[in-house]
Amino acid sequence: MAVLAWLLIPLFAVVGAGIWGSWAARDRTSGDVAELAGYARFRDAMDKSGSQTDAI
């Protein structure tokens, strides 16, 4: 039984490394586009609020 445990430990490590590797290599470009669009809206809102305080 101890031999089976010593064989299963590396097997679980390989499976875990494969899962982590596929997760780390996933395509994340779609999230970047949404974040950049949100940042552009934030900059526009800050520019508008800044121009209103200058007029006061």
Side-chain angles (χ1 to χ4, degrees):
M1 194 67 178
V3 173
L4 183 60
W6 281 108
L7 291 175
L8 288 177
I9 291 171
L11 178 66
F12 287 139
V14 167
V15 170
I19 291 171
W20 179 84
S22 64
W23 178 77
R26 71 191 188 281
D27 185 20
R28 291 178 257 179
T29 57
S30 62
D32 292 341
V33 173
E35 290 179 21
L36 289 174
Y39 180 64
R41 287 193 307 269
F42 171 76
R43 283 191 326 214
D44 290 341
M46 293 306 287
D47 287 342
K48 289 179 186 175
S49 67
S51 62
Q52 289 175 354
T53 56
D54 293 341
I56 295 177

